Amino acid sequence: MVAGNWKMNKTLQEGVALATELKQSVKNPKCAVVIGTPFIHLATVAEIIKGTPICLAAENCADKASGAYTGEVSAAMVASTGAQYCILGHSERRAYYHETYDILREKVLLALENGLKPIFCIGEVKEEREAGKQNEVVKAQLEGSVFNLSAEQWADITLAYEPVWAIGTGLTATPEQAQEMHAYIRSLIAEKYGEQIANDTTILYGGSCNAKNAAELFANPDVDGGLIGGASLKAPDFCTIIEARG
Ligand code: PGA
């Protein structure tokens, strides 16, 4: 899979232009292609990409089902736009909007209950990597928010390993660092759900993945694709990354 995360970029009109460009250029991708857009773009973009191989993701959903939560957008509302995926647990949501393991566990369950497939992000910050704690951090994030799921629920989960020090910084993890962590994550899934399910789980890499370095990152056996921020905002770059997944 190659998934784009537009973050808080693009007005509705700019988003329509980008989705239209992608619709014209993404013809026969050899991997799943997802674009993650701001909430307000979802319904419109869903119409634009209808009948194409491109799938749609929200970048978040509420941790409550419905009711008096001014400004929030529920998983049911996201699903009603035609989106199939929901990015959850992004490090920016954890850091700036204080999303805890418990909040994320609720969001994942609500997404699943409403037929959305979570793209669940995990990853350590720079200080944790420097202290050699990256494995412990990632394990706690999985145990805190998604290892409560049944094997059946797990089938709808995509993981994205995004070392926080690599996001938007131009500091990509080396292919070796990515492979090492992805293999570790897969081993945790195997311990919890068994080898078969672990092998079937899609684990994306995210963090300054771009048109130049994608092929090298995706060449690793445990790197199943990418979650792309900055480079997903330009159709030609995003298309090169999709081709790199091959
Ligand atoms: P980036 O962001 O590609 O701009 O580093 C990735 C992400 O945060 O998903």
Side-chain angles (χ1 to χ4, degrees):
M1 177 192 291
V2 171
N5 176 10
W6 292 3
K7 307 193 179 184
M8 197 175 73
N9 293 296
K10 306 280 178 197
T11 61
L12 179 57
Q13 291 73 21
E14 290 163 350
V16 164
L18 177 55
T20 306
E21 210 181 334
L22 289 171
K23 173 189 168 145
Q24 283 151 4
S25 1
V26 180
K27 289 292 184 209
N28 291 303
K30 298 197 182 64
C31 64
V33 175
V34 180
I35 51 178
T37 80
F39 289 133
I40 65 132
H41 298 56
L42 290 172
T44 312
V45 170
E47 283 303 316
I48 294 171
I49 61 177
K50 201 179 253 173
T52 77
I54 307 171
C55 293
L56 186 61
E59 300 171 13
N60 182 27
C61 73
D63 62 339
K64 302 288 191 301
S66 67
Y69 301 101
T70 303
E72 287 294 292
V73 176
S74 72
M77 293 174 189
V78 169
S80 74
T81 67
Q84 302 97 330
Y85 291 87
C86 189
I87 299 170
L88 290 172
H90 193 280
S91 61
E92 289 150 17
R93 304 272 343 151
R94 293 179 193 260
Y96 308 144
Y97 302 98
H98 315 295
E99 295 195 355
T100 61
Y101 296 170
D102 290 348
I103 289 172
L104 290 172
R105 194 167 55 238
E106 292 307 316
K107 292 190 176 199
V108 168
L109 289 172
L110 284 163
L112 289 169
E113 273 168 31
N114 286 284
L116 293 171
K117 297 177 185 172
I119 299 175
F120 189 75
C121 306
I122 53 179
E124 80 286 355
V125 299
K126 186 160 159 268
E127 295 72 27
E128 291 162 341
R129 165 123 339 223
E130 282 168 358
K133 292 197 168 138
Q134 63 272 21
N135 287 10
E136 175 182 327
V137 168
V138 160
K139 187 176 186 203
Q141 290 171 333
L142 290 169
E143 286 175 343
S145 306
V146 285
F147 273 180
N148 56 303
L149 298 174
S150 67
E152 199 188 330
Q153 289 170 316
W154 185 268
D156 283 332
I157 297 285
T158 297
L159 293 179
Y161 169 59
E162 300 205 305
V164 181
W165 46 270
I167 296 177
T169 57
L171 281 176
T172 321
T174 64
E176 294 74 24
Q177 283 171 324
Q179 170 54 27
E180 192 180 41
M181 179 55 91
H182 282 230
Y184 173 67
I185 293 167
R186 210 178 293 284
S187 76
L188 294 175
I189 304 166
E191 262 173 47
K192 177 78 194 165
Y193 295 104
E195 287 287 337
Q196 183 62 50
I197 290 178
N199 290 336
D200 290 346
T201 303
T202 298
I203 310 176
L204 309 178
Y205 168 80
S208 298
C209 182
N210 57 39
K212 291 206 173 73
N213 60 26
E216 199 184 15
L217 286 158
F218 298 167
N220 291 288
D222 286 298
V223 179
D224 302 316
L227 180 55
I228 319 298
S232 75
L233 297 172
K234 292 196 188 111
D237 285 14
F238 193 57
C239 289
T240 304
I241 297 170
I242 294 167
E243 278 155 32
R245 175 56 286 186

